[in-house]
Amino acid sequence: MPRRGAPSDAPQDIENLGTAVVDCGLYEDGKRRGGRIDLETALKQASECTDGFVWIGLHDPSPEILEKVAEHFELHPLAVEDAVHAHQRAKLDMYGESMFLVLKTARYVDHDELIEIGEVMIFVGQRFVVSVRHGEGSPLGEVRKELEAHSDLLSLGPSSVVYAIADRIVDDYALVLEGIEVDIEEVEAEVFSGAGTNPAERIYKLKREILEFRRAVSPLVTPMQRLSDHQAGLPIDPRTRDYFRDILDHLVRDSDRIQNFSEILTGVLQANLAQLGMRYNQDLRKLSAWVAIIAVPTMIAGIYGMNFDHMPELHWRYGYPLVLGVTLLICVALYRSFKRTGWL
Amino acid sequence: MPRRGAPSDAPQDIENLGTAVVDCGLYEDGKRRGGRIDLETALKQASECTDGFVWIGLHDPSPEILEKVAEHFELHPLAVEDAVHAHQRAKLDMYGESMFLVLKTARYVDHDELIEIGEVMIFVGQRFVVSVRHGEGSPLGEVRKELEAHSDLLSLGPSSVVYAIADRIVDDYALVLEGIEVDIEEVEAEVFSGAGTNPAERIYKLKREILEFRRAVSPLVTPMQRLSDHQAGLPIDPRTRDYFRDILDHLVRDSDRIQNFSEILTGVLQANLAQLGMRYNQDLRKLSAWVAIIAVPTMIAGIYGMNFDHMPELHWRYGYPLVLGVTLLICVALYRSFKRTGWL
Amino acid sequence: MPRRGAPSDAPQDIENLGTAVVDCGLYEDGKRRGGRIDLETALKQASECTDGFVWIGLHDPSPEILEKVAEHFELHPLAVEDAVHAHQRAKLDMYGESMFLVLKTARYVDHDELIEIGEVMIFVGQRFVVSVRHGEGSPLGEVRKELEAHSDLLSLGPSSVVYAIADRIVDDYALVLEGIEVDIEEVEAEVFSGAGTNPAERIYKLKREILEFRRAVSPLVTPMQRLSDHQAGLPIDPRTRDYFRDILDHLVRDSDRIQNFSEILTGVLQANLAQLGMRYNQDLRKLSAWVAIIAVPTMIAGIYGMNFDHMPELHWRYGYPLVLGVTLLICVALYRSFKRTGWL
Amino acid sequence: MPRRGAPSDAPQDIENLGTAVVDCGLYEDGKRRGGRIDLETALKQASECTDGFVWIGLHDPSPEILEKVAEHFELHPLAVEDAVHAHQRAKLDMYGESMFLVLKTARYVDHDELIEIGEVMIFVGQRFVVSVRHGEGSPLGEVRKELEAHSDLLSLGPSSVVYAIADRIVDDYALVLEGIEVDIEEVEAEVFSGAGTNPAERIYKLKREILEFRRAVSPLVTPMQRLSDHQAGLPIDPRTRDYFRDILDHLVRDSDRIQNFSEILTGVLQANLAQLGMRYNQDLRKLSAWVAIIAVPTMIAGIYGMNFDHMPELHWRYGYPLVLGVTLLICVALYRSFKRTGWL
Amino acid sequence: MPRRGAPSDAPQDIENLGTAVVDCGLYEDGKRRGGRIDLETALKQASECTDGFVWIGLHDPSPEILEKVAEHFELHPLAVEDAVHAHQRAKLDMYGESMFLVLKTARYVDHDELIEIGEVMIFVGQRFVVSVRHGEGSPLGEVRKELEAHSDLLSLGPSSVVYAIADRIVDDYALVLEGIEVDIEEVEAEVFSGAGTNPAERIYKLKREILEFRRAVSPLVTPMQRLSDHQAGLPIDPRTRDYFRDILDHLVRDSDRIQNFSEILTGVLQANLAQLGMRYNQDLRKLSAWVAIIAVPTMIAGIYGMNFDHMPELHWRYGYPLVLGVTLLICVALYRSFKRTGWL
């Protein structure tokens, strides 16, 4: 049953109210009216305006702010709860007239070879868009600026905001994939370089990141399909259909690449194991060959170290150098034969 | 064909009757009427009331009690048989007017790294809910208390009980997943720590638990889908539709994570094998290197232990320290070269 | 094109006629009429009766008997051919008015850890059921007895026979799975016991049996789905619908478990390989450590076995015990250090 | 765009014309009319007859012959091109009124453990069937003879020819699978026999053949499904529906077995690797144990080979046999202990 | 949101304009009118002609040229953006009346065992086709020539151009697959040759290329299916339906083979690992056997090198040759026994 947000560490949250509300704007006929407005004004204008719409942008908001916005737009408590708690799957839900869209943002932190997964939730009604961003991925300030520069798009209403945000987020997936591709190529080069290092942990962690990334990306396909097929009942302008299909195309391509990377990393892991195994085997064989070579003079020396009364060779004038020479010859012959068969 | 319960070790069961019936309550207009009542009263009130409904909560009941309840509400013998025997798959069956829902509960026993799977069966009619719990997971007493605190939900009738129970059970899945995640991270750290321990059995058992858990969780998706799509014919209030969709969302997210964990554990298992194999190889190589180093003085000593009459070095004044020194030098050189190539 | 049975080693088959025809019975209003009758009478009564039906039970029948029955009930030659040759997939085919159902029986032979797969074919018409059993699994005599004790079920006509047989066969699957589960647990215990045995062949064979079993069980899902959805055109009483759905539930649960066992066995196989590999590695490392320990006194002894004229230690009064003592000390130190690092 | 066959090495092809045209026959009312006729006559009769149909059987025909037949029956150039080039996937295409069916034949060459894949293309119209066979599998001469012996089937027209050919080809799949099963059992026995041979290449090649075979067989399921569901628009007599469903049943069973074999071979490959690895490990351990045993007397002999002035044992009367005896005792004790722990 | 091409390094691009526009032609009634025309003329004629169509062929065009063409034919900006940036997935999109088709070309560079993936985008309207090729694969000049030689096809309008291009591209896939097949067979031969080389990197890279290739080829199936099913709304002549189905057949066959190759390469990789592992094991066993053989004389020599006062054998006349002989006999016996058990 619906869990309410933790009730009243409110004072602290109210201080953060300024940073949580990133931007609010009223848009009419594809143009922004009145510049940056505060949350109160935005809520008021949203109920008054008959033609345009209001876009409220929140970033890691406190439950209090969300509750306030939710109350004003009559958002469904289950959706609001999802928006507070984050860690949702990408999805598109209709609650009465208003649409609730969850998207996962992704950012590649090259230094740690980590994919940072964040979230953007969008509430869409006839006269409002509320975007709630969690985490650092895909900042929406730029999206707003770019969109404001395309009044043709903006004039399509809230749908254009949904498109602009989703487009940006999916474009950022491609950046993540490029980052990963570079790392995979590095790892491949390392595996086949013969340098003798063991990048097993690195490969394992890349694979794990890929799995996480796939889990973030793949559930988005269904919502994008619904938006681009323009299923009845969504508050989406039919003219944005081609745009959402474009996002879907990119998304599917990204999914393909993720799948591909996953299989490649499995292959790299096996290849790494194989290469390392081979190298260790070769090392061991090499050492064994040397031990075998040394065993021969040891054996011969042992024989001439025996204390028999009658060992004629011991009394030969050149017995010692002869034996040394023969032993050396045998060792050289062994060495050559090992060299020839590739053991040394 | 229907197997009847074992016939008549009844006397013993009747003693347990008090503990098997956890709670019975009559609910009208979202409020509980008359506090805790006994089973007889509950059955009677259920047939009399025209507006509210009765919720009978059983825990590991004897076949006799179930038979009695079943007879009263005319439950289908096949469903009753399932409720007695437990070990069902999660499923939703309609028998005439009454719905039969089977859910699997899960509880993570951290100490043993075991997932304890239990079962909750729910019979739902117009004027009654019978919940039958097997095992220790997801106790329903709290669920009842929380639900009684939300009279808006309760006023939706038996559907609200179904929602409250399913919500709790699916929420508990997330707890299990968190417990497992911690263990997986521990195991990962152990594998790449270089400590030389072998967590193979632990990984294997985690994997097995995950497989069991998936088998419990994944069949629930279909019943939840039916409840959230509000298929015709189910005795479910259409106003709970959004609530069941919320459960479904969580369930699908959990399924994703289970799948993810399963793949991660496969990866960890391979990584563990690889790491251990590498370490053993390194050990063996190290030892072999030492054996090779020792083989050199042994060979040289053997040579000067030969009994040839004419070995001039033997008669040198400083022959002995010279040979010792040279041998030592060779050994040090070997040691350094092994050190440089990373064998030691 | 239809292959006819081998034409005329008939005399021999006629002798077996008595054992091949297990039982024939006429059922009316949920009761058996006239006890055990012979095949001729059964065929005659089947054409005469207007209300009840005849159930003819055959076990490994000769082609002749089947031909005779087939001719009488006008069974389709392709279905009859299937019933003679056995080794069919589980399936449900309609030939005109009559239904042909193939089921696979399974029996776990614990001693050999083998799953014996047999077959039961059922021809169903308005006034007759012909069951043909191949192999030893799921004897139908008991099924007949149990069914005759439930006249409510029996009164539903031939459908009840189909239900009773299918229910028994699917129940027997669960027995097989229990047998396998015990063996899997034994094998798991053996793998992680540290006993050093290699249960690879046993695991492999269990896996193979599981694969065979899955191949027998999984094709049955579709026919059971058709029977429980009560697709139009099947000669099945709609009142048995819930019963067939119950079988379907069990079947799907069994399929899940088979899948689970298959994955577990894959895991056990890998774990076994890993454990054995580890143990052999440890053994080898242990031996190598001993060889290294022994190499030290050998080397020292070699040095003092050299024949240099000037080796002052050789002439020391306590040179010999001193060297022995130092050597022993080195060996003990080595042993301890190997012990500490876990190599011994 | 349509590639034409190589234009004019025609003279040579015309010599082969006699062998390429295997048989032509005119069939009316389920009977063959006028025995074996030549191609010219067959083409002429096909255009004249109003009731029966002509079956032209070709084997590895030259493009010229096919062009001639194609021209006469107005076959689609794309289908003819496919029939010339072979190496098609199994498929069913409609070109206007005429049906084009491609089937893959399979023949198990036991000696080389190879599955020889061939092709049969069938053009079907109202009054003609043209069958084109490539490769040695499933000769159609026998099919024709058997079919001619079943005038009831033959009277169903061209559909009966399609059925007879497809039935034969699918029956031959079962023969291939039997051949492979025998080889798999041999390989399994070899793997677990302890003989120390390495059947890796054989297993690999069987697996490869299975993959090829699956690629040939599995695409046939869809065409057979269309034929047995009797989709509108196919020139197939509805009375053959049961017959095609029978083929489909066999085909699906074969597909299951192929899948099964593929998984079994994967298992055998792993088991083989494991068994060989174990054996080599055991060998190495055994050898190491012997080396360790021999190292002991070598060490002791080294000690008593030292040249210290004061080594009292050397002067004992029975020092030598004593030391020999003690050494032998140690070796025997070592041997026994290795034997007990299973290393020897 | 639509990204515009980089704005104004235009002067350079205009120089390349001649090479970017490969060919322009006006086609009427299946014939080319007026030979090679320049882009301006083509655009003009396209707007004027009422019957034929214009085919503009571009190769790696600058954004400026594409913008110009796009503006003239009112192509959708999202499609144009895709055509500029390349790296699209194979797809078929409708933008209003005009169709946008993306195909991936493939070329096997045998020397490097690389599959070079390129792209061809086709814009199709009632009176125009614009083909945009990126990369070196599947040059379209020849396609144009061949098509101009088939006026029957050409007279079907723009659809014929789409068919001719797609047919060529898919035919080229088969060439790639043949190239890869040869390499796979080489690698297989190498693995089982016993030559002791390690083709792991080669196998890995082939596998990677196959994965890339599959990613290029498999998304094309859906567009080809749409074209061959002739879904309503596509500007495709229904008479080309059979032609597109022919391409689809080839494409599916190619996909099957790619899948097959992928599985074969997985098998080869495992077989390679196994073979190499076996060989290294054998080598090590061989060496160990030699070390064991040498250890025996070393031990015996050590014994007779002891300095006991009373060792009668030392004083035997033929003690030395006797001991040598016995030692040699033991070594020969060991050698033979190793030979017999296959260790040497």
Side-chain angles (χ1 to χ4, degrees), chain C residues 52-298:
Chain C
F53 68 96
V54 158
W55 176 5
I56 297 170
L58 306 176
H59 185 204
D60 289 329
S62 66
E64 283 69 29
I65 297 178
L66 260 180
E67 293 278 338
K68 190 174 171 186
V69 174
E71 211 172 306
H72 191 272
F73 294 122
E74 294 177 4
L75 306 177
H76 196 282
L78 286 168
V80 174
E81 196 193 312
D82 283 352
V84 170
H85 287 274
H87 301 301
Q88 297 305 310
R89 248 178 131 237
K91 63 177 178 180
L92 186 162
D93 284 343
M94 285 304 298
Y95 289 99
E97 297 279 285
S98 78
M99 183 174 93
F100 178 56
L101 182 68
V102 179
L103 299 146
K104 303 293 247 187
T105 63
R107 202 165 73 98
Y108 195 55
V109 187
D110 201 15
H111 181 263
D112 307 318
E113 297 191 347
L114 281 177
I115 301 171
E116 232 180 67
I117 305 288
E119 256 160 289
V120 168
M121 282 89 165
I122 317 178
F123 296 88
V124 186
Q126 282 301 100
R127 297 273 158 259
F128 68 89
V129 180
V130 179
S131 62
V132 182
R133 187 159 69 94
H134 291 274
E136 296 310 310
S138 301
L140 301 180
E142 295 169 36
V143 174
R144 192 186 284 259
K145 254 176 242 142
E146 279 182 60
L147 186 60
E148 287 171 359
H150 287 77
S151 67
D152 50 333
L153 252 178
L154 247 182
S155 64
L156 300 177
S159 316
S160 67
V161 177
V162 176
Y163 162 67
I165 294 175
D167 187 56
R168 171 59 186 268
I169 287 174
V170 172
D171 276 2
D172 284 353
Y173 292 167
L175 295 180
V176 171
L177 287 171
E178 275 164 38
I180 287 178
E181 189 161 41
V182 170
D183 286 323
I184 288 179
E185 277 162 13
E186 278 177 30
V187 156
E188 273 181 343
E190 191 176 345
V191 163
F192 291 112
S193 68
T197 52
N198 178 4
E201 187 170 2
R202 192 178 173 197
I203 300 170
Y204 171 79
K205 293 214 163 138
L206 275 172
K207 179 83 194 258
R208 204 186 193 302
E209 290 302 302
I210 285 284
L211 285 177
E212 283 296 334
F213 192 33
R214 189 181 63 192
R215 196 155 70 88
V217 169
S218 63
L220 188 54
V221 170
T222 311
M224 280 303 135
Q225 230 145 15
R226 285 182 66 187
L227 288 169
S228 65
D229 290 356
H230 193 62
Q231 291 195 352
L234 297 184
I236 290 296
D237 191 292
R239 284 168 294 178
T240 55
R241 201 186 145 159
D242 286 342
Y243 291 95
F244 284 111
R245 197 182 53 196
D246 192 58
I247 298 179
L248 179 61
D249 281 347
H250 293 160
L251 190 64
V252 171
R253 194 190 55 196
D254 292 345
S255 290
D256 277 9
R257 286 185 77 194
I258 292 175
Q259 187 54 32
N260 212 15
F261 285 171
S262 169
E263 293 181 34
I264 285 175
L265 280 172
T266 303
V268 173
L269 203 65
Q270 289 174 340
N272 181 46
L273 255 180
Q275 293 299 100
L276 280 178
M278 289 303 114
R279 182 147 44 247
Y280 280 105
N281 273 332
Q282 284 170 337
D283 286 357
L284 216 54
R285 205 168 60 169
K286 206 174 184 177
L287 241 166
S288 303
W290 277 115
V291 167
I293 289 177
I294 292 176
V296 168
T298 307

Side-chain angles (χ1 to χ4, degrees), chain A residues 268-342:
Chain A
V268 172
L269 203 66
Q270 289 174 341
N272 181 47
L273 255 180
Q275 292 300 101
L276 280 178
M278 290 301 116
R279 183 149 41 250
Y280 280 105
N281 273 332
Q282 285 171 338
D283 287 357
L284 216 56
R285 206 168 59 169
K286 206 172 182 177
L287 240 165
S288 304
W290 277 114
V291 168
I293 289 177
I294 291 177
V296 169
T298 307
M299 177 191 68
I300 291 174
I303 287 169
Y304 289 105
M306 291 194 291
N307 296 322
F308 284 97
D309 289 354
H310 304 281
M311 294 177 69
E313 302 96 313
L314 296 180
H315 309 301
W316 293 353
R317 177 98 204 115
Y318 297 105
Y320 174 53
L322 190 75
V323 162
L324 276 194
V326 166
T327 304
L328 196 68
L329 274 179
I330 294 177
C331 290
V332 168
L334 275 175
Y335 176 82
R336 286 211 176 154
S337 115
F338 282 132
K339 205 78 186 176
R340 212 174 37 247
T341 55

Side-chain angles (χ1 to χ4, degrees), chain B residues 1 91 204 208 283 315, chain C residues 167 171 188 249 285 309:
Chain B
M1 99 207 37
K91 62 177 178 180
Y204 171 80
R208 204 185 193 302
D283 287 356
H315 309 300
Chain C
D167 187 56
D171 276 2
E188 273 181 343
D249 281 347
R285 205 168 60 169
D309 289 353

Side-chain angles (χ1 to χ4, degrees), chain B residues 169 221 259:
Chain B
I169 287 173
V221 170
Q259 186 54 33

Side-chain angles (χ1 to χ4, degrees), chain E residues 9-24:
Chain E
D9 26 25
Q12 192 190 339
D13 286 319
I14 274 167
E15 285 177 48
N16 293 330
L17 201 143
T19 59
V21 181
V22 177
D23 200 352
C24 295

Side-chain angles (χ1 to χ4, degrees), chain A residues 167 171 188 249 256 285 309, chain E residues 1 91 204 208 283 315:
Chain A
D167 187 55
D171 275 2
E188 273 181 341
D249 281 347
D256 277 9
R285 206 168 59 169
D309 289 354
Chain E
M1 98 209 33
K91 63 177 178 178
Y204 171 79
R208 203 186 195 299
D283 287 356
H315 309 300

Side-chain angles (χ1 to χ4, degrees), chain A residues 288 291-292 295, chain D residues 287 291 294, chain E residues 286-296 298:
Chain A
S288 304
V291 168
Chain D
L287 240 165
V291 168
I294 292 177
Chain E
K286 207 173 181 177
L287 240 166
S288 305
W290 277 114
V291 167
I293 289 177
I294 291 177
V296 169
T298 307

